[in-house]
Structures are given as C-alpha cells and as structure tokens.
Coordinates of all heavy atoms in Angstrom, one line a residue:
M793 N 0.8 -1.2 0.0 CA 0.0 0.0 0.0 C 0.9 1.3 0.0 O 0.6 2.2 -0.7 CB -0.9 0.0 1.2 CG -1.8 1.2 1.4 SD -3.2 1.0 0.3 CE -4.1 2.4 0.7
Y794 N 1.9 1.3 0.9 CA 2.7 2.5 1.0 C 3.6 2.6 -0.3 O 4.1 3.7 -0.5 CB 3.6 2.4 2.2 CG 2.8 2.5 3.5 CD1 2.6 1.4 4.3 CD2 2.2 3.7 3.8 CE1 1.8 1.5 5.5 CE2 1.4 3.8 4.9 CZ 1.2 2.8 5.8 OH 0.5 2.9 6.9
R795 N 3.8 1.6 -1.0 CA 4.6 1.7 -2.2 C 3.9 2.5 -3.3 O 4.5 3.0 -4.2 CB 4.9 0.3 -2.8 CG 5.7 -0.6 -1.9 CD 6.0 -1.9 -2.5 NE 6.3 -2.9 -1.5 CZ 6.3 -4.2 -1.6 NH1 6.0 -4.7 -2.8 NH2 6.6 -4.9 -0.7
L796 N 2.6 2.6 -3.2 CA 1.8 3.3 -4.3 C 1.8 4.8 -4.1 O 1.6 5.6 -5.0 CB 0.4 2.8 -4.3 CG 0.2 1.4 -4.7 CD1 -1.3 1.0 -4.6 CD2 0.7 1.1 -6.1
F797 N 2.2 5.3 -2.9 CA 2.1 6.7 -2.6 C 3.1 7.5 -3.5 O 2.7 8.5 -4.1 CB 2.4 7.0 -1.2 CG 1.3 6.8 -0.2 CD1 1.4 6.0 0.9 CD2 0.0 7.3 -0.5 CE1 0.3 5.7 1.7 CE2 -1.0 7.1 0.3 CZ -0.9 6.3 1.4
P798 N 4.3 7.1 -3.7 CA 5.2 7.9 -4.7 C 4.6 7.9 -6.1 O 4.7 8.9 -6.8 CB 6.5 7.2 -4.6 CG 6.5 6.4 -3.3 CD 5.1 6.1 -3.1
I799 N 4.0 6.8 -6.5 CA 3.5 6.8 -7.9 C 2.3 7.7 -8.0 O 2.1 8.5 -8.9 CB 3.1 5.3 -8.2 CG1 4.3 4.5 -8.3 CG2 2.3 5.3 -9.5 CD1 4.1 3.0 -8.4
L800 N 1.4 7.7 -6.9 CA 0.3 8.6 -7.0 C 0.7 10.1 -6.9 O 0.1 10.9 -7.6 CB -0.7 8.3 -5.8 CG -1.4 6.9 -5.9 CD1 -2.1 6.7 -4.6 CD2 -2.3 6.9 -7.1
I801 N 1.7 10.4 -6.2 CA 2.2 11.8 -6.1 C 2.7 12.2 -7.5 O 2.4 13.3 -7.9 CB 3.3 11.9 -5.0 CG1 2.6 11.7 -3.6 CG2 4.0 13.2 -5.1 CD1 3.6 11.7 -2.5
L802 N 3.5 11.3 -8.1 CA 4.0 11.7 -9.5 C 2.8 11.8 -10.5 O 2.9 12.7 -11.3 CB 4.9 10.6 -9.9 CG 6.3 10.6 -9.3 CD1 7.1 9.4 -9.7 CD2 7.0 11.9 -9.6
L803 N 1.9 11.0 -10.4 CA 0.7 11.1 -11.3 C -0.1 12.4 -11.1 O -0.5 13.0 -12.0 CB -0.2 9.9 -11.2 CG 0.3 8.6 -11.8 CD1 -0.6 7.4 -11.5 CD2 0.6 8.7 -13.3
T804 N -0.2 12.8 -9.9 CA -0.9 14.0 -9.5 C -0.1 15.2 -10.0 O -0.7 16.2 -10.5 CB -1.1 14.1 -8.0 OG1 -1.8 12.9 -7.5 CG2 -1.9 15.3 -7.6
A805 N 1.2 15.2 -9.9 CA 2.0 16.3 -10.4 C 2.0 16.4 -11.9 O 2.1 17.5 -12.4 CB 3.4 16.1 -9.9
C806 N 1.8 15.3 -12.6 CA 1.8 15.4 -14.1 C 0.4 15.7 -14.6 O 0.3 15.9 -15.8 CB 2.2 14.0 -14.6 SG 3.9 13.6 -14.2
S807 N -0.6 15.7 -13.8 CA -1.9 16.0 -14.4 C -2.1 17.4 -14.8 O -1.4 18.3 -14.3 CB -3.0 15.6 -13.4 OG -2.9 16.5 -12.3
E808 N -2.9 17.7 -15.8 CA -3.1 19.0 -16.3 C -4.1 19.8 -15.4 O -5.2 19.2 -15.2 CB -3.6 19.0 -17.7 CG -2.6 18.5 -18.7 CD -3.1 18.6 -20.1 OE1 -4.0 19.5 -20.4 OE2 -2.7 17.9 -21.0
N809 N -3.8 20.9 -15.0 CA -4.7 21.8 -14.2 C -4.9 23.1 -14.9 O -3.9 23.8 -15.2 CB -4.1 22.0 -12.8 CG -4.1 20.8 -11.9 OD1 -4.9 19.9 -12.1 ND2 -3.1 20.7 -11.1
S810 N -6.1 23.4 -15.2 CA -6.4 24.7 -15.9 C -6.6 25.7 -14.8 O -7.2 25.4 -13.8 CB -7.6 24.5 -16.8 OG -8.7 24.2 -16.1
P811 N -6.2 26.9 -15.1 CA -6.4 28.0 -14.1 C -7.9 28.3 -14.0 O -8.6 28.3 -15.0 CB -5.6 29.2 -14.6 CG -5.5 28.9 -16.1 CD -5.5 27.4 -16.2
P812 N -8.4 28.7 -12.8 CA -9.8 29.0 -12.6 C -10.1 30.3 -13.3 O -9.3 31.2 -13.4 CB -10.0 29.1 -11.1 CG -8.6 29.4 -10.6 CD -7.6 28.7 -11.5
Q813 N -11.3 30.3 -13.9 CA -11.8 31.5 -14.6 C -12.5 32.4 -13.6 O -13.3 31.9 -12.8 CB -12.7 31.2 -15.7 CG -12.1 30.5 -16.9 CD -13.1 30.3 -18.0 OE1 -14.3 30.3 -17.8 NE2 -12.6 30.0 -19.2
D814 N -12.2 33.7 -13.7 CA -13.0 34.6 -12.8 C -14.4 34.9 -13.5 O -14.6 34.6 -14.6 CB -12.2 35.9 -12.6 CG -11.9 36.6 -13.8 OD1 -12.8 37.3 -14.4 OD2 -10.7 36.5 -14.3
A815 N -15.3 35.4 -12.7 CA -16.6 35.7 -13.2 C -16.7 36.6 -14.4 O -17.5 36.4 -15.2 CB -17.5 36.2 -12.0
A816 N -15.8 37.5 -14.5 CA -15.9 38.5 -15.6 C -15.5 37.8 -16.9 O -16.2 38.0 -17.9 CB -14.9 39.7 -15.3
S817 N -14.5 37.0 -16.9 CA -14.1 36.3 -18.2 C -15.2 35.3 -18.6 O -15.5 35.0 -19.7 CB -12.8 35.7 -18.1 OG -12.7 34.7 -17.1
A818 N -15.8 34.6 -17.6 CA -16.8 33.6 -17.9 C -18.1 34.3 -18.4 O -18.7 33.8 -19.4 CB -17.2 32.9 -16.6
A819 N -18.4 35.5 -17.9 CA -19.5 36.3 -18.5 C -19.3 36.8 -19.9 O -20.2 36.8 -20.7 CB -19.8 37.5 -17.5
E820 N -18.0 37.1 -20.2 CA -17.7 37.6 -21.5 C -17.8 36.4 -22.5 O -18.3 36.6 -23.7 CB -16.3 38.1 -21.6 CG -16.1 39.4 -20.9 CD -14.7 39.9 -20.9 OE1 -13.8 39.2 -21.4 OE2 -14.4 40.9 -20.3
E821 N -17.4 35.2 -22.2 CA -17.6 34.1 -23.0 C -19.0 33.7 -23.3 O -19.4 33.3 -24.4 CB -16.8 32.9 -22.5 CG -15.3 33.0 -22.5 CD -14.7 31.9 -21.8 OE1 -15.3 30.9 -21.5 OE2 -13.4 32.0 -21.6
A822 N -19.9 33.9 -22.3 CA -21.3 33.5 -22.4 C -22.2 34.6 -22.9 O -23.4 34.4 -22.8 CB -21.7 32.9 -21.0
S823 N -21.6 35.7 -23.2 CA -22.4 36.8 -23.6 C -23.2 36.5 -24.9 O -22.7 35.9 -25.8 CB -21.6 38.1 -23.8 OG -20.7 38.0 -24.9
V824 N -24.4 36.9 -25.0 CA -25.3 36.7 -26.1 C -25.7 38.1 -26.7 O -25.9 39.0 -26.0 CB -26.5 35.9 -25.7 CG1 -27.5 35.7 -26.9 CG2 -26.1 34.6 -25.2
D825 N -25.8 38.1 -28.0 CA -26.3 39.4 -28.6 C -27.7 39.6 -28.2 O -28.6 38.8 -28.6 CB -26.1 39.2 -30.1 CG -26.4 40.5 -30.9 OD1 -26.5 41.6 -30.2 OD2 -26.5 40.5 -32.1
L826 N -28.0 40.7 -27.5 CA -29.3 41.0 -27.1 C -30.2 41.6 -28.2 O -31.4 41.8 -27.9 CB -29.2 42.0 -25.9 CG -28.6 41.5 -24.6 CD1 -28.4 42.7 -23.6 CD2 -29.3 40.4 -24.1
A827 N -29.7 41.7 -29.4 CA -30.5 42.1 -30.5 C -31.6 41.1 -30.8 O -32.7 41.5 -31.3 CB -29.7 42.4 -31.7
F828 N -31.4 39.9 -30.6 CA -32.4 38.8 -30.9 C -33.6 39.0 -30.1 O -34.7 38.6 -30.6 CB -31.8 37.4 -30.7 CG -30.7 37.0 -31.6 CD1 -29.4 36.9 -31.2 CD2 -30.9 36.9 -33.0 CE1 -28.4 36.5 -32.0 CE2 -30.0 36.5 -33.9 CZ -28.7 36.4 -33.4
C829 N -33.5 39.5 -28.9 CA -34.7 39.6 -28.0 C -35.0 41.0 -27.7 O -35.7 41.3 -26.7 CB -34.5 38.8 -26.7 SG -33.0 39.2 -25.8
Q830 N -34.6 42.0 -28.5 CA -34.8 43.4 -28.3 C -34.4 43.9 -26.9 O -35.0 44.7 -26.3 CB -36.3 43.7 -28.5 CG -36.8 43.3 -29.8 CD -38.4 43.4 -29.9 OE1 -39.0 43.7 -28.9 NE2 -38.9 43.1 -31.1
G831 N -33.2 43.4 -26.4 CA -32.7 43.8 -25.1 C -31.6 44.8 -25.1 O -31.1 45.2 -24.1
Q832 N -31.1 45.2 -26.3 CA -30.0 46.1 -26.4 C -30.2 47.4 -25.7 O -29.3 47.9 -25.0 CB -29.6 46.4 -27.9 CG -28.8 45.2 -28.5 CD -28.5 45.5 -29.9 OE1 -29.2 46.2 -30.6 NE2 -27.4 45.0 -30.3
P833 N -31.4 48.0 -25.7 CA -31.6 49.3 -25.0 C -31.5 49.1 -23.5 O -31.3 50.1 -22.8 CB -33.1 49.7 -25.4 CG -33.4 48.9 -26.6 CD -32.6 47.7 -26.6
F834 N -31.6 47.9 -23.0 CA -31.5 47.7 -21.5 C -30.2 47.2 -21.1 O -30.0 46.9 -19.9 CB -32.6 46.7 -21.2 CG -34.0 47.1 -21.7 CD1 -34.5 46.4 -22.7 CD2 -34.7 48.2 -21.2 CE1 -35.8 46.7 -23.2 CE2 -35.9 48.5 -21.7 CZ -36.5 47.8 -22.7
A835 N -29.2 47.1 -22.0 CA -27.9 46.5 -21.6 C -27.2 47.3 -20.5 O -26.4 46.7 -19.7 CB -27.0 46.4 -22.9
D836 N -27.4 48.6 -20.5 CA -26.7 49.4 -19.5 C -27.5 49.6 -18.2 O -27.1 50.4 -17.3 CB -26.4 50.8 -20.1 CG -27.6 51.5 -20.5 OD1 -28.7 50.9 -20.6 OD2 -27.5 52.8 -20.7
T837 N -28.5 48.8 -18.0 CA -29.4 48.9 -16.8 C -29.0 47.9 -15.7 O -29.6 47.9 -14.6 CB -30.8 48.7 -17.1 OG1 -31.0 47.4 -17.6 CG2 -31.3 49.8 -18.1
I838 N -27.9 47.2 -15.9 CA -27.5 46.2 -14.9 C -27.0 47.0 -13.6 O -26.3 48.0 -13.8 CB -26.3 45.3 -15.4 CG1 -26.9 44.4 -16.5 CG2 -25.7 44.5 -14.3 CD1 -25.9 43.6 -17.2
G839 N -27.5 46.6 -12.5 CA -27.2 47.3 -11.2 C -28.3 48.3 -10.8 O -28.2 48.9 -9.8
Q840 N -29.3 48.5 -11.7 CA -30.4 49.4 -11.4 C -31.6 48.6 -11.0 O -31.8 47.4 -11.3 CB -30.7 50.3 -12.6 CG -29.6 51.2 -13.0 CD -30.0 52.0 -14.3 OE1 -31.1 52.0 -14.7 NE2 -29.0 52.7 -14.8
P841 N -32.6 49.2 -10.3 CA -33.8 48.5 -10.0 C -34.6 48.1 -11.2 O -34.7 48.9 -12.2 CB -34.6 49.5 -9.1 CG -33.6 50.5 -8.7 CD -32.5 50.5 -9.7
V842 N -35.2 47.0 -11.2 CA -36.0 46.5 -12.4 C -37.3 47.4 -12.6 O -37.8 47.5 -13.7 CB -36.4 45.0 -12.3 CG1 -37.4 44.8 -11.2 CG2 -36.8 44.5 -13.6
S843 N -37.7 48.0 -11.5 CA -38.9 48.8 -11.6 C -38.7 50.0 -12.6 O -39.7 50.5 -13.1 CB -39.4 49.3 -10.2 OG -38.3 50.1 -9.6
T844 N -37.5 50.4 -12.8 CA -37.2 51.6 -13.7 C -37.4 51.2 -15.1 O -37.7 52.1 -16.0 CB -35.8 52.1 -13.5 OG1 -34.9 51.1 -13.8 CG2 -35.6 52.6 -12.1
I845 N -37.3 49.9 -15.5 CA -37.4 49.5 -16.9 C -38.6 48.6 -17.2 O -38.9 48.3 -18.3 CB -36.2 48.9 -17.4 CG1 -35.9 47.5 -16.7 CG2 -35.0 49.8 -17.4 CD1 -34.9 46.6 -17.4
Q846 N -39.3 48.2 -16.2 CA -40.3 47.2 -16.3 C -41.4 47.6 -17.3 O -41.8 46.8 -18.1 CB -40.9 46.7 -15.0 CG -41.5 45.4 -15.1 CD -41.6 44.7 -13.7 OE1 -41.4 45.4 -12.7 NE2 -41.9 43.4 -13.7
P847 N -41.9 48.8 -17.3 CA -42.9 49.2 -18.3 C -42.4 49.2 -19.7 O -43.2 49.0 -20.6 CB -43.3 50.6 -17.9 CG -42.9 50.8 -16.4 CD -41.7 49.9 -16.3
Q848 N -41.1 49.4 -20.0 CA -40.6 49.4 -21.3 C -40.1 48.1 -21.9 O -39.7 48.0 -23.0 CB -39.4 50.4 -21.4 CG -39.8 51.8 -21.1 CD -39.7 52.2 -19.7 OE1 -38.9 51.5 -18.9 NE2 -40.4 53.2 -19.3
L849 N -40.2 47.0 -21.1 CA -39.7 45.7 -21.5 C -40.5 45.2 -22.7 O -41.7 45.4 -22.8 CB -39.8 44.7 -20.3 CG -38.7 44.9 -19.2 CD1 -39.0 43.9 -18.1 CD2 -37.3 44.8 -19.8
P850 N -39.9 44.4 -23.6 CA -40.6 43.9 -24.7 C -41.7 42.9 -24.2 O -41.7 42.4 -23.1 CB -39.6 43.1 -25.5 CG -38.3 43.6 -25.0 CD -38.5 44.1 -23.6
E851 N -42.7 42.6 -25.1 CA -43.8 41.8 -24.8 C -43.4 40.4 -24.3 O -43.9 39.9 -23.3 CB -44.7 41.7 -26.0 CG -46.0 40.9 -25.8 CD -46.8 40.8 -27.0 OE1 -46.8 41.6 -27.8 OE2 -47.6 39.8 -27.1
R852 N -42.5 39.8 -25.0 CA -42.0 38.5 -24.6 C -40.8 38.6 -23.7 O -39.7 38.2 -24.1 CB -41.7 37.6 -25.8 CG -43.0 37.2 -26.6 CD -42.6 36.2 -27.6 NE -43.8 35.7 -28.2 CZ -44.0 35.6 -29.5 NH1 -43.0 35.8 -30.3 NH2 -45.2 35.1 -29.9
S853 N -40.9 39.1 -22.5 CA -39.8 39.1 -21.6 C -40.3 38.6 -20.2 O -41.5 38.6 -20.0 CB -39.3 40.6 -21.4 OG -40.3 41.4 -21.0
R854 N -39.4 38.2 -19.4 CA -39.7 37.8 -18.1 C -38.7 38.2 -17.1 O -37.5 38.3 -17.4 CB -39.9 36.3 -18.0 CG -38.7 35.4 -18.4 CD -39.0 34.0 -18.4 NE -37.9 33.2 -18.9 CZ -37.9 31.9 -19.0 NH1 -38.9 31.2 -18.7 NH2 -36.8 31.3 -19.4
V855 N -39.1 38.5 -15.9 CA -38.2 39.0 -14.8 C -38.1 37.8 -13.9 O -39.1 37.3 -13.4 CB -38.8 40.2 -14.1 CG1 -37.9 40.6 -12.9 CG2 -38.9 41.4 -15.1
L856 N -36.9 37.3 -13.6 CA -36.7 36.2 -12.8 C -35.9 36.5 -11.5 O -34.8 37.0 -11.6 CB -35.9 35.1 -13.6 CG -36.7 34.6 -14.8 CD1 -35.7 33.8 -15.7 CD2 -37.9 33.7 -14.4
G857 N -36.4 36.2 -10.4 CA -35.8 36.4 -9.1 C -35.0 35.2 -8.7 O -35.0 34.2 -9.4
P858 N -34.2 35.3 -7.6 CA -33.4 34.1 -7.3 C -34.1 32.9 -6.9 O -33.6 31.8 -7.1 CB -32.6 34.7 -6.0 CG -33.4 35.8 -5.6 CD -34.1 36.4 -6.7
D859 N -35.4 33.0 -6.5 CA -36.1 31.8 -6.1 C -37.3 31.5 -7.1 O -38.1 30.6 -6.8 CB -36.7 31.9 -4.7 CG -35.6 32.1 -3.6 OD1 -34.6 31.4 -3.8 OD2 -35.8 32.8 -2.7
D860 N -37.3 32.2 -8.2 CA -38.4 31.9 -9.2 C -38.1 30.7 -10.0 O -37.0 30.3 -10.3 CB -38.5 33.1 -10.1 CG -39.0 34.4 -9.4 OD1 -39.5 34.2 -8.3 OD2 -38.9 35.5 -10.0
I861 N -39.2 30.1 -10.4 CA -39.2 28.9 -11.2 C -39.4 29.3 -12.6 O -40.3 30.1 -12.9 CB -40.3 27.9 -10.8 CG1 -40.0 27.4 -9.3 CG2 -40.3 26.7 -11.7 CD1 -41.1 26.5 -8.8
A862 N -38.6 28.8 -13.6 CA -38.7 29.2 -15.0 C -38.8 27.9 -15.8 O -38.1 26.9 -15.5 CB -37.6 30.1 -15.4
T863 N -39.5 28.0 -16.9 CA -39.5 26.9 -17.9 C -38.2 26.8 -18.5 O -37.4 27.8 -18.6 CB -40.6 27.1 -18.9 OG1 -40.3 28.3 -19.6 CG2 -42.0 27.1 -18.3
Q864 N -37.8 25.6 -19.0 CA -36.5 25.4 -19.7 C -36.6 25.5 -21.2 O -35.6 25.2 -21.9 CB -36.0 24.0 -19.2 CG -35.6 24.0 -17.8 CD -34.5 24.9 -17.4 OE1 -33.5 25.0 -18.0 NE2 -34.8 25.6 -16.3
D865 N -37.7 25.9 -21.7 CA -37.8 26.1 -23.2 C -36.9 27.3 -23.6 O -36.9 28.3 -22.9 CB -39.2 26.2 -23.6 CG -39.9 27.4 -23.1 OD1 -39.6 27.8 -21.9 OD2 -40.7 28.0 -23.8
Y866 N -36.3 27.2 -24.7 CA -35.4 28.2 -25.2 C -36.1 29.0 -26.3 O -36.5 28.4 -27.3 CB -34.1 27.6 -25.8 CG -33.1 28.7 -26.2 CD1 -32.4 29.4 -25.3 CD2 -32.9 29.0 -27.5 CE1 -31.5 30.3 -25.6 CE2 -32.1 30.0 -27.9 CZ -31.3 30.6 -27.0 OH -30.4 31.6 -27.3
R867 N -36.3 30.3 -26.1 CA -36.9 31.1 -27.1 C -36.0 32.3 -27.3 O -35.8 33.1 -26.5 CB -38.3 31.7 -26.6 CG -39.3 30.5 -26.4 CD -40.6 31.1 -25.9 NE -41.0 32.1 -26.9 CZ -42.1 32.0 -27.7 NH1 -42.9 30.9 -27.6 NH2 -42.5 32.9 -28.6
I868 N -35.4 32.3 -28.5 CA -34.4 33.4 -28.8 C -35.0 34.8 -28.8 O -34.3 35.7 -28.5 CB -33.7 33.1 -30.2 CG1 -32.5 33.9 -30.4 CG2 -34.7 33.3 -31.3 CD1 -31.4 33.6 -29.5
D869 N -36.3 34.9 -28.9 CA -37.0 36.2 -29.0 C -37.4 36.7 -27.6 O -38.1 37.7 -27.5 CB -38.1 36.2 -29.9 CG -39.2 35.2 -29.6 OD1 -38.9 34.3 -28.9 OD2 -40.3 35.4 -30.0
R870 N -37.1 35.9 -26.5 CA -37.6 36.3 -25.2 C -36.4 36.9 -24.4 O -35.3 36.3 -24.3 CB -38.1 35.0 -24.4 CG -38.5 35.4 -23.0 CD -39.2 34.2 -22.3 NE -38.4 33.0 -22.4 CZ -38.9 31.8 -22.4 NH1 -40.2 31.6 -22.2 NH2 -38.2 30.7 -22.5
L871 N -36.6 38.0 -23.8 CA -35.6 38.6 -22.9 C -35.8 38.2 -21.5 O -36.9 38.3 -20.9 CB -35.8 40.2 -23.0 CG -34.8 41.0 -22.1 CD1 -33.4 40.8 -22.5 CD2 -35.2 42.5 -22.1
N872 N -34.7 37.6 -20.9 CA -34.8 37.2 -19.5 C -34.0 38.3 -18.7 O -32.9 38.6 -19.0 CB -34.1 35.9 -19.3 CG -34.8 34.8 -20.0 OD1 -36.0 34.7 -19.9 ND2 -34.1 34.0 -20.7
V873 N -34.7 38.8 -17.7 CA -34.1 39.8 -16.8 C -33.9 39.1 -15.4 O -34.9 38.8 -14.8 CB -34.9 41.1 -16.7 CG1 -34.3 42.1 -15.8 CG2 -35.2 41.7 -18.0
Y874 N -32.7 38.9 -15.0 CA -32.4 38.3 -13.7 C -32.2 39.3 -12.7 O -31.3 40.2 -12.9 CB -31.2 37.3 -13.8 CG -31.5 36.1 -14.7 CD1 -31.2 36.2 -16.1 CD2 -32.0 35.0 -14.2 CE1 -31.4 35.1 -16.9 CE2 -32.2 33.9 -15.0 CZ -31.9 34.0 -16.3 OH -32.2 32.9 -17.1
V875 N -32.9 39.2 -11.6 CA -32.8 40.2 -10.5 C -32.4 39.5 -9.2 O -32.6 38.3 -9.0 CB -34.1 41.0 -10.3 CG1 -34.4 41.8 -11.5 CG2 -35.2 40.1 -9.9
N876 N -31.8 40.2 -8.3 CA -31.5 39.7 -6.9 C -32.8 39.8 -6.0 O -33.8 40.3 -6.5 CB -30.3 40.3 -6.3 CG -30.4 41.8 -6.1 OD1 -31.5 42.3 -6.1 ND2 -29.3 42.4 -5.7
G877 N -32.6 39.5 -4.8 CA -33.8 39.6 -3.9 C -34.3 41.0 -3.6 O -35.4 41.2 -3.2
S878 N -33.5 42.0 -3.9 CA -33.9 43.4 -3.7 C -34.5 44.0 -5.0 O -34.8 45.2 -5.0 CB -32.7 44.2 -3.3 OG -32.1 43.7 -2.1
G879 N -34.5 43.2 -6.1 CA -35.1 43.7 -7.3 C -34.1 44.5 -8.2 O -34.4 45.2 -9.1
I880 N -32.8 44.3 -7.9 CA -31.7 44.9 -8.7 C -31.3 44.0 -9.8 O -31.1 42.8 -9.6 CB -30.5 45.2 -7.8 CG1 -30.9 46.1 -6.6 CG2 -29.4 45.9 -8.6 CD1 -31.4 47.4 -6.9
I881 N -31.2 44.5 -11.1 CA -30.9 43.7 -12.2 C -29.5 43.2 -12.1 O -28.5 44.0 -11.9 CB -31.1 44.6 -13.5 CG1 -32.5 45.0 -13.6 CG2 -30.7 43.8 -14.7 CD1 -32.8 46.0 -14.7
Q882 N -29.3 41.9 -12.3 CA -28.0 41.2 -12.2 C -27.5 40.9 -13.6 O -26.3 41.1 -13.9 CB -28.1 39.9 -11.4 CG -28.5 40.2 -10.0 CD -27.6 41.0 -9.2 OE1 -26.4 40.7 -9.2 NE2 -28.0 42.1 -8.6
R883 N -28.3 40.4 -14.5 CA -27.9 40.1 -15.9 C -29.1 40.0 -16.8 O -30.2 39.9 -16.4 CB -27.1 38.8 -15.9 CG -27.9 37.6 -15.6 CD -26.9 36.4 -15.5 NE -27.7 35.3 -15.0 CZ -27.8 34.1 -15.6 NH1 -27.3 33.9 -16.7 NH2 -28.5 33.1 -15.0
L884 N -28.8 40.1 -18.1 CA -29.8 40.0 -19.1 C -29.4 39.0 -20.1 O -28.2 38.9 -20.5 CB -30.0 41.4 -19.9 CG -30.3 42.6 -19.0 CD1 -30.2 43.8 -19.9 CD2 -31.7 42.5 -18.5
T885 N -30.3 38.1 -20.5 CA -30.0 37.1 -21.5 C -31.2 37.0 -22.5 O -32.3 37.3 -22.1 CB -29.7 35.7 -20.9 OG1 -30.9 35.3 -20.2 CG2 -28.6 35.8 -20.0
C886 N -31.0 36.4 -23.6 CA -32.0 36.0 -24.5 C -32.3 34.5 -24.3 O -31.4 33.7 -24.1 CB -31.6 36.2 -26.0 SG -31.5 38.0 -26.4
G887 N -33.5 34.1 -24.5 CA -33.8 32.7 -24.4 C -35.0 32.5 -23.6 O -35.7 31.7 -23.3

C-alpha cells in the first residue's frame, strides 16, 4: 500500500490543471447578442432596480428572481431579466 504513494504523487504532479476563470471572463464568453430579443436598449441597466425599466420591457420578456421557477424552453426572442432579492438587475439574456 505504501509503495503506491510515490506513484500517486507523481501522477498527480503530471496531471493538467487549468487555471480557474474569474466571473468576468466567464460572463464575456457566455455573452449573447441582445438584439435577438430586443434587449439592447436595456444593456446598461445592470445594477439598477427593475422597476425603472419594467414598463418598457418587450412583450415576450420575463423577470426572474433568485427563487423563481422558470420553464426550460429556449426562445431566442424572449428577454430574461435576472434580479436579486432586492429587485436589482443582475444580468440580461435571450432565451
């Protein structure tokens, strides 16, 4: 049993480890063009209360809080507005 430890240590040292991605670079990779769901005018509202833009949101949009249940169907023409518990906009996506 103890003979395997050096081998395991060497195998662990040789394994490939990718550096962790921070939230900003992950968000840049996952960014979607908001033109598909008419969300471009609202792109600069992140960090603001959703009540300031709610009357102007497109017809096929939904506001999702942290505990809200949402269907998993993907609709490219639907704007998803994600808010925190205080109603502050966290992110916007199409789908």
Side-chain angles (χ1 to χ4, degrees):
M793 178 79 175
Y794 293 109
R795 293 181 206 166
L796 295 177
F797 283 127
I799 295 172
L800 292 175
I801 291 172
L802 286 174
L803 288 175
T804 305
C806 294
S807 67
E808 291 185 27
N809 292 328
S810 61
Q813 291 183 342
D814 57 82
S817 65
E820 289 175 2
E821 290 177 8
S823 65
V824 176
D825 187 12
L826 294 175
F828 292 114
C829 56
Q830 301 172 356
Q832 283 180 330
F834 309 107
D836 59 346
T837 61
I838 295 175
Q840 297 179 7
V842 72
S843 59
T844 59
I845 65 163
Q846 203 156 14
Q848 294 91 22
L849 289 175
E851 182 180 334
R852 288 190 173 137
S853 62
R854 60 182 176 181
V855 178
L856 299 168
D859 297 324
D860 290 347
I861 297 172
T863 59
Q864 295 296 313
D865 61 324
Y866 184 78
R867 297 183 56 114
I868 193 69
D869 61 338
R870 179 174 50 207
L871 176 65
N872 296 314
V873 181
Y874 293 92
V875 298
N876 64 9
S878 302
I880 305 297
I881 300 171
Q882 300 296 308
R883 65 184 171 124
L884 302 169
T885 62
C886 292

